Amino acid sequence: MKKIFLFFVLGIALTNLSSAQQKDIPSAKPGVKYGKEISASHAISVAKLEKELSKKNAFNGRIEGKVVEVCKKKGCFMTLQRDGEEPITVRFKDYGFFMPADIIGKTVVIEGIAKKKEVSVASLQHAAKDLGKSQTEIDQITQPKKDISIIADGVLVVK
């Protein structure tokens, strides 16, 4: 009986901790910043980023884009909209900050490093699971993918 009570109390504590972490993330309103203090000046579009990365392997600077997805578990990554292709994944340096669920549909400026890289099947499936995709959709991911990956130091909501 004591073990059942202990597991019950532990379960409540973990649930409250998880909820508290999500509540600490400020709502995504214009002007709200996450991570490093940044400004919107000199940001390039996602389309211009793609052109930059066709010439070189990395870009270090600011990028403006529209958020289309965010990790449903704790906001540990988000994706930026691209024309005609799958969105670009943005992760946060050293998992130093997280995004709120209401950032979807917002335009943001991120500052960080974008690189071309190959993403493994395991990483693609893990991300799909964190986005709440069905098991059928996850099982359909069978090939690695060459893509753009961004590690952001900071995020600024602009609209």
Side-chain angles (χ1 to χ4, degrees):
M1 189 67 171
K2 286 181 183 180
K3 286 183 181 180
I4 294 172
F5 179 73
L6 180 61
F7 283 117
F8 179 73
V9 170
L10 184 60
I12 290 174
L14 289 174
T15 301
N16 287 340
L17 178 62
S18 175
S19 297
Q21 287 175 341
Q22 194 66 14
K23 289 177 188 174
D24 292 343
I25 303 171
S27 182
K29 295 184 179 11
V32 174
K33 297 175 184 173
Y34 305 91
K36 174 182 149 184
E37 189 78 19
I38 67 167
S39 73
S41 65
H42 306 294
I44 65 170
S45 68
V46 169
K48 180 140 187 194
L49 171 66
E50 290 179 286
K51 288 179 187 171
E52 287 284 324
L53 290 176
S54 70
K55 301 174 202 166
K56 52 188 178 179
N57 287 328
F59 171 82
N60 191 354
R62 295 184 187 122
I63 305 149
E64 182 174 323
K66 183 177 181 179
V67 178
V68 291
E69 297 173 303
V70 67
C71 172
K72 289 181 179 9
K73 286 189 174 188
K74 62 181 177 182
C76 57
F77 69 89
M78 65 182 181
T79 63
L80 298 180
Q81 184 174 27
R82 267 160 90 167
D83 291 333
E85 294 194 48
E86 290 188 33
I88 297 172
T89 301
V90 179
R91 298 193 183 280
F92 312 112
K93 187 174 183 179
D94 301 326
Y95 287 95
F97 56 98
F98 302 98
M99 294 296 109
D102 69 348
I103 201 161
I104 295 172
K106 307 286 186 193
T107 299
V108 298
V109 169
I110 62 165
E111 185 171 322
I113 299 172
K115 295 180 181 180
K116 293 188 287 187
K117 69 180 239 182
E118 183 169 283
V119 184
S120 71
V121 171
S123 292
L124 292 168
Q125 289 176 336
H126 181 83
K129 183 178 179 182
D130 285 352
L131 289 170
K133 304 284 184 183
S134 71
Q135 190 60 48
T136 302
E137 291 171 298
I138 294 168
D139 291 342
Q140 290 175 350
I141 301 170
T142 59
Q143 296 293 317
K145 160 176 124 168
K146 291 186 191 272
D147 206 356
I148 298 170
S149 176
I150 302 172
I151 303 294
D153 296 323
V155 176
L156 169 64
V157 180
V158 292
K159 56 181 168 177

